[in-house]
Amino acid sequence: MASNPSSDDNLLQTPLNALHRALGAKMVPFAGYDMPVQYKLGVLKEHLHTREKAGLFDVSHMGQLRVNGADAAKRLEAIVPGDLQALKPGRMRYTVFTNEQGGILDDLMVTRFDDHLVVVVNAACKTEDTAHLKKHLGAAVQPLDDRALVALQGPMAAAVLARFAPEAAAMAFMSGAYLKVAGIDAFVTRSGYTGEDGYEISVPNAAIEGLAKKLLAEPEVEAIGLGARDSLRLEAGLCLYGHDIDTTTTPVEAALTWTISKRRRAEGGFPGAAVIQKQLSEGPKRLRVGIKPEGRAPAREGAELADGTGKVVGRITSGGFGPSVNGPVAMGYVDAAHAAVGTKVNAIVRGQALAAQVAAMPFAPHRYHKGT
Amino acid sequence: MADRKFSKDHEWVEVAGGVGTVGITDYAQGQLGDVVFVELPAVGKKLGKGDNAAVVESVKAASEVYTPVSGDVTEVNQAIVDDPAKVNAEAEGGAWFFKLKLGNAAELGDLMDRAAYDAYLKTL
């Protein structure tokens, strides 16, 4: 008897799919891809291992693009509020695509070079982002579909990568460079999504499995799945698109005003600038904040936040257990009046009011590389 | 000898002297991953068969634990509240969730024995 095709047959695969399976990963659908949520270590140990040593993440599902032209930074500024013209060659910045209402279409990383930019966008948004970029920047936009991407994150990431690419050790945090990694032509940035020092390494699809195996063979490195990627970024206070930010949240409400320079605030010139400038001058009505439940029970995405009288004042957009914090952590939106650190709120979980406080983020201190 | 029965929702119950001890199976803890939080019912609570009786949370998600039989809760296992990782380490042993005085012993007949449960797991 023929078996029914599973829905998994429609999922895309990264070039590391066979390696994930060989490593015993538990695979789940994520943003249209068949991705490892955890390996044999499990989410908790994978999270702690990354904070203690180094973790390797397959992020090949993310969209990599190149925008050609010496004027690419100036042209891209038409659709993002980030100050790309202030970037020196080889430096990178986090920014967002905004819509006409000031909402966020996606968040992205941009690295600037003399004659081009390298852009990395979210997997779930990459089709729309590519169309959006092409609409505004035309033929200058070149999707890099032939390249895979891995992140090597953790306090020992630099020592590990230096064995394969000695120049990587001297890279500044939030910089990018074209390097040979284990003899492979790679684009390397010193950046990540964990709050730790680390790198993202882009190489041709055909070369990624060999490189991943070499990195995993180093004693400090373990393969890390999407589960720990999520708990690491949550402890680091970093947004997950589609959860903490989306088309209904502006960068001001999302506490991402630090991504908009003085010049861009003054000049505008990006979609939704009027809305964002008004919120910058008057303050937003709601704000993304950290939420620390006082007990042991996690408060997860969707949980309402109420004041002492039971009035709903916000909602959790990401929440769970922070393995390094060894307790529950969350983030979400609250009314401006309840956004000060230390404000007491109740998270409504399974009908019960759990005591919580508005908390400063990150929950786990950032340990990015300082210097050069 | 105490007789252990299993539900399709991956709870086990072992009955001795009209009192059932309820936990989750080793398969269930494996599916959940690292357990970080457990919420147990209040002693004295009346539970109907299939009611939400407890909550178990892993790093990834929250899951409900249903009671496979009805009854009144007589005792809960504080040790798994204090150290939720016990649920991963000994799901079918010391990490039981609660005990209840059975409301209707005939409900046990709806549950699987070990061999039937093992066969059921193979179909998943």
Side-chain angles (χ1 to χ4, degrees), chain A residues 26 38 44 297-298 300 350, chain B residues 31 34 37 55 57-58 60:
Chain A
K26 187 172 179 179
Q38 65 175 76
L44 195 74
R300 298 183 188 270
R350 294 181 287 271
Chain B
Q31 291 297 110
D34 307 295
F37 176 77
V55 174
E57 301 211 20
S58 67
K60 286 177 286 182

Side-chain angles (χ1 to χ4, degrees), chain B residues 5-49:
Chain B
K5 299 277 195 174
F6 299 85
S7 75
K8 287 193 170 182
D9 296 319
H10 309 291
E11 289 94 18
W12 56 265
V13 55
E14 187 169 298
V15 180
V19 172
T21 301
V22 176
I24 68 170
T25 65
D26 193 56
Y27 172 85
Q29 71 77 21
Q31 291 297 110
L32 284 167
D34 307 295
V35 174
V36 296
F37 176 77
V38 175
E39 187 176 281
L40 296 172
V43 170
K45 186 167 184 184
K46 277 189 191 304
L47 295 172
K49 183 186 173 191

Side-chain angles (χ1 to χ4, degrees), chain A residues 216-272:
Chain A
L216 288 169
E218 295 301 306
E220 301 91 338
V221 183
E222 291 285 348
I224 310 297
L226 291 178
R229 183 167 161 83
D230 190 51
S231 56
L232 287 159
R233 70 90 196 168
L234 174 58
E235 283 186 343
L238 303 172
C239 293
L240 176 59
Y241 190 79
H243 300 259
D244 309 304
I245 48 176
D246 59 28
T247 53
T248 70
T249 62
T250 71
V252 184
E253 292 167 340
L256 297 175
T257 51
W258 59 272
T259 67
I260 313 176
S261 71
K262 194 175 166 188
R263 175 179 69 83
R264 300 295 328 261
R265 291 178 197 207
E267 291 177 5
F270 52 87

Side-chain angles (χ1 to χ4, degrees), chain A:
Chain A
M1 268 175 54
S3 62
N4 290 325
S6 75
S7 60
D8 289 3
D9 292 347
N10 300 321
L11 292 174
L12 299 168
Q13 296 186 350
T14 76
L16 289 176
N17 194 276
L19 180 61
H20 299 318
R21 291 174 181 277
L23 292 170
K26 187 172 179 179
M27 305 297 287
V28 296
F30 180 82
Y33 281 80
D34 184 39
M35 295 297 288
V37 66
Q38 65 175 76
Y39 299 85
K40 287 176 179 166
L41 273 186
V43 179
L44 195 74
K45 290 195 182 80
E46 289 172 24
H47 176 116
L48 295 172
H49 182 90
T50 304
R51 292 251 188 269
E52 191 185 329
K53 293 181 179 173
L56 187 72
F57 303 72
D58 180 14
V59 286
S60 301
H61 57 314
M62 297 187 77
Q64 303 178 67
L65 303 103
R66 187 181 153 118
V67 183
N68 294 306
D71 60 350
K74 183 167 197 243
R75 294 183 69 203
L76 186 55
E77 280 191 359
I79 52 173
V80 305
D83 196 337
L84 305 180
Q85 296 186 73
L87 278 175
K88 292 188 174 70
R91 294 288 170 147
M92 66 191 297
R93 187 152 281 179
Y94 171 78
T95 188
V96 296
F97 293 120
T98 48
N99 65 20
E100 292 299 331
Q101 292 73 44
I104 299 173
L105 295 166
D106 196 9
D107 58 350
L108 64 153
M109 288 288 212
V110 181
T111 311
R112 186 184 193 188
F113 293 97
D114 284 328
D115 63 351
H116 71 280
L117 306 173
V118 179
V119 174
V120 178
V121 302
N122 280 301
C125 303
K126 69 181 171 185
T127 305
E128 294 83 353
D129 289 347
T130 302
H132 187 59
L133 280 163
K134 284 184 171 167
K135 183 180 160 193
H136 290 273
L137 302 172
V141 178
Q142 179 190 346
L144 302 174
D145 295 333
D146 58 341
R147 296 185 81 85
L149 190 66
V150 290
L152 182 68
Q153 300 279 299
M156 296 184 183
V160 169
L161 194 59
R163 291 170 205 153
F164 302 95
E167 312 94 310
M171 289 176 69
F173 185 65
M174 293 299 274
S175 73
Y178 290 93
L179 303 177
K180 291 259 190 210
V181 178
I184 303 158
D185 284 321
F187 174 64
V188 177
T189 63
R190 196 161 198 168
S191 67
Y193 194 47
T194 60
E196 300 295 328
D197 185 22
Y199 302 87
E200 292 195 352
I201 306 159
S202 168
V203 298
N205 285 334
I208 193 67
E209 189 177 83
L211 177 61
K213 284 179 172 170
K214 283 196 173 83
L215 292 169
L216 288 169
E218 295 301 306
E220 301 91 338
V221 183
E222 291 285 348
I224 310 297
L226 291 178
R229 183 167 161 83
D230 190 51
S231 56
L232 287 159
R233 70 90 196 168
L234 174 58
E235 283 186 343
L238 303 172
C239 293
L240 176 59
Y241 190 79
H243 300 259
D244 309 304
I245 48 176
D246 59 28
T247 53
T248 70
T249 62
T250 71
V252 184
E253 292 167 340
L256 297 175
T257 51
W258 59 272
T259 67
I260 313 176
S261 71
K262 194 175 166 188
R263 175 179 69 83
R264 300 295 328 261
R265 291 178 197 207
E267 291 177 5
F270 52 87
V275 175
I276 288 168
Q277 286 166 325
K278 183 162 185 278
Q279 289 185 349
L280 283 166
S281 64
E282 295 176 6
K285 289 191 172 65
R286 60 175 185 157
L287 200 60
R288 182 177 65 93
V289 296
I291 301 288
K292 182 81 188 82
E294 288 175 3
R296 297 291 298 170
R300 298 183 188 270
E301 180 177 2
E304 288 185 325
L305 296 166
D307 67 10
T309 71
K311 183 182 163 232
V312 173
V313 298
R315 193 172 61 85
I316 286 176
T317 52
S318 283
F321 182 84
S324 302
V325 171
N326 191 24
V329 290
M331 66 172 85
Y333 285 81
V334 292
D335 296 349
H338 294 84
V341 169
T343 304
K344 291 197 181 301
V345 290
N346 290 317
I348 311 302
V349 176
R350 294 181 287 271
Q352 296 173 49
L354 300 182
Q357 278 193 27
V358 174
M361 290 193 285
F363 295 104
H366 290 164
R367 299 194 295 178
Y368 299 135
H369 177 65
K370 294 188 180 71
T372 48

